[in-house]
Amino acid sequence: MYKISANIFRHQFFFKVVLSILVIYFSVGNVVNAQLQSSYPCYAIASNNSETDSLFKYLPATNIWTNLGGLENVDIKALAINPFDDVLYATSGPVFGTIDIENIAFKSIGLLGPAYKGDYGAIIIQDIVGLAYDTGSQRLFGINRITNQVGNGRPDSPDILVELDCITGRIVEDAFLDSNGNASDYATIGEVNDGTQPDFLFDAKDLAFDPFTGELLVAQDQASPTYLTSINKMTGKIDFVLMEVPNSDVSGLAFTDFGDLIGTTLINPNYNSDGRLLQINFLAGYANSLGYIDFVNTAFHCLDCYVKKPGCYDTLYLNNANSLRRKYNASNKIEIDFLVDIDTLTVTSANEILLNNNFEVPKTSNFCATINSNVCQ
């Protein structure tokens, strides 16, 4: 195995903490004005009740959200971006599909299907309210709303975390652990006790993976302001209640490549939520207003951003043979774990890896090259 290692994550995390402290020191009040920090596009979908959903795109070069057009005959509640394959996943009711950006259309792939094993027994997955793509494991996760299901003695029960097959959209079996530690097709998401509700907060609105740490964050509420939690992606249990998001009814979550967490909000006077886009600083416990995506369309339930350059892989896996020539920049030392023929791989004087057309690895092994995300094959 040839590996190019980098130690940037801890430095980026340290920078985020220091920046958070500085912003708190110089800010007054809970909500301040800010600008969306992203190197790559973001997408949001406005759910217009019985009317046509609208697809919006954010371009960093202009700092403007643009209405690309209507998505006909769908009711999309969840969106996730796979930056490696440059795909936008979405769900409409019980149907899994992708968003065709060129033609502004939802392309159906198939039914989500049932989840057979778990704390509630078999469940038909038909109300996905949040999607998130984990770039670390290259897996697609979703939140399915549980209503009128019996669980913990209540008619409304905690929502569940599921994994979807990126090709078919079907539920991945045995991806989680139930409350007894057994293999399960879904995980029951933990509840938040905010100290004011007769019952704990068991509704989950959306989820997002931190692109630097892999931490899974969830927006949760139940006739209450939104709480941001960090949950275990195997069991669904809450590891930390990070913060109550001030003046918010958060409906969509996404990270940018800067490591900023942003969220769409709904208009809800009960919690002083006015439909703005927020930058949520969960390290420091406050939110910045990023203004409105649109002044006409205000119910944005879906949001996601590219956290890597579209079509670029941080990790390249090759089985047996590679027929294409690929070249990568290597900023750190190259670790050699097994030998290959010298004429199939070259390390240049510029510290670059060059894979020749006849590059091969042993049949039982993979070749792995972790590269700078700004370099494409």
Side-chain angles (χ1 to χ4, degrees):
M1 177 180 293
Y2 293 79
K3 183 184 297 181
I4 308 165
S5 58
N7 296 315
I8 61 172
F9 297 145
R10 68 185 64 181
H11 302 304
Q12 289 171 328
F13 180 77
F14 174 77
F15 174 77
K16 287 167 64 179
V17 173
V18 172
L19 181 62
S20 299
I21 295 172
L22 291 174
V23 172
I24 288 178
Y25 183 81
F26 289 107
S27 300
V28 179
N30 285 328
V31 180
V32 296
N33 291 322
Q35 180 174 326
L36 201 165
Q37 297 293 314
S38 178
S39 304
Y40 311 120
C42 299
Y43 289 89
I45 297 176
S47 301
N48 300 319
N49 297 320
S50 60
E51 299 178 7
T52 301
D53 292 349
S54 298
L55 178 65
F56 284 76
K57 180 179 182 178
Y58 173 79
L59 288 176
T62 61
N63 192 34
I64 292 175
W65 286 91
T66 301
N67 188 341
L68 299 181
L71 295 161
E72 301 288 345
N73 304 316
V74 290
D75 181 19
I76 295 176
K77 296 181 180 179
L79 173 72
I81 294 174
N82 172 350
F84 301 119
D85 298 317
D86 200 7
V87 174
L88 274 66
Y89 303 116
T91 56
S92 176
V95 180
F96 174 79
T98 60
I99 302 295
D100 181 345
I101 300 299
E102 296 298 325
N103 298 300
I104 318 299
F106 175 75
K107 300 294 185 181
S108 172
I109 291 176
L111 294 175
L112 295 161
Y116 294 103
K117 295 184 297 183
D119 288 323
Y120 302 145
I123 294 176
I124 300 298
I125 305 301
Q126 56 187 356
D127 193 9
I128 297 287
V129 295
L131 285 174
Y133 186 80
D134 180 8
T135 56
S137 63
Q138 297 183 29
R139 298 161 64 194
L140 180 63
F141 291 82
I143 291 172
N144 188 75
R145 177 64 46 81
I146 298 296
T147 55
N148 300 320
Q149 303 261 1
V150 176
N152 297 333
R154 294 198 306 269
D156 288 322
S157 303
D159 296 332
I160 60 173
L161 180 68
V162 295
E163 181 183 351
L164 307 182
D165 185 288
C166 292
I167 304 299
T168 66
R170 302 289 288 184
I171 298 301
V172 176
E173 298 182 1
D174 296 335
F176 305 95
L177 298 175
D178 65 17
S179 58
N180 295 315
N182 300 316
S184 175
D185 298 343
Y186 58 87
T188 304
I189 297 174
E191 301 170 86
V192 179
N193 182 2
D194 72 341
T196 63
Q197 302 294 316
D199 295 314
F200 292 166
L201 313 184
F202 52 79
D203 276 350
K205 306 289 281 292
D206 201 6
L207 69 169
F209 284 95
D210 187 316
F212 296 122
T213 67
E215 185 178 16
L216 176 55
L217 304 189
V218 175
Q220 298 184 237
D221 66 17
Q222 174 60 39
S224 70
T226 299
Y227 283 78
L228 189 66
T229 61
S230 173
I231 72 169
N232 185 301
K233 66 181 180 182
M234 278 295 295
T235 66
K237 293 180 179 179
I238 294 176
D239 291 327
F240 304 100
V241 178
L242 299 175
M243 65 179 291
E244 175 186 337
V245 183
N247 303 319
S248 71
D249 183 357
V250 174
S251 53
L253 284 180
F255 275 96
T256 72
D257 64 304
F258 279 72
D260 290 346
L261 180 67
I262 60 175
T264 53
T265 64
L266 303 177
I267 295 178
N268 191 334
N270 293 330
Y271 313 116
N272 297 318
S273 181
D274 60 4
R276 293 175 188 263
L277 182 66
L278 298 179
Q279 178 196 48
I280 305 170
N281 192 317
F282 57 91
L283 294 175
Y286 70 92
N288 297 329
S289 171
L290 296 172
Y292 294 96
I293 294 178
D294 188 63
F295 290 104
V296 176
N297 300 274
T298 56
F300 287 90
H301 291 277
C302 306
L303 174 70
D304 207 4
C305 296
Y306 282 89
V307 294
K308 299 179 184 296
K309 190 173 183 179
C312 289
Y313 281 77
D314 269 353
T315 303
L316 171 67
Y317 294 97
L318 300 173
N319 289 313
N320 299 333
N322 172 39
S323 61
L324 301 176
R325 181 182 298 273
R326 291 184 169 98
K327 186 175 183 179
Y328 295 104
N329 291 325
S331 59
N332 294 289
K333 72 175 184 178
I334 301 171
E335 300 172 357
I336 301 177
D337 293 334
F338 66 82
L339 296 177
V340 295
D341 293 339
I342 192 67
D343 62 348
T344 65
L345 181 146
T346 304
V347 179
T348 71
S349 59
N351 205 22
E352 298 171 327
I353 290 180
L354 178 63
L355 306 184
N356 297 334
N357 288 339
N358 62 337
F359 179 82
E360 294 183 356
V361 299
K363 292 182 179 180
T364 58
S365 303
N366 287 332
F367 171 84
C368 174
T370 303
I371 62 170
N372 187 307
S373 61
N374 291 322
V375 181
C376 282
Q377 61 262 31

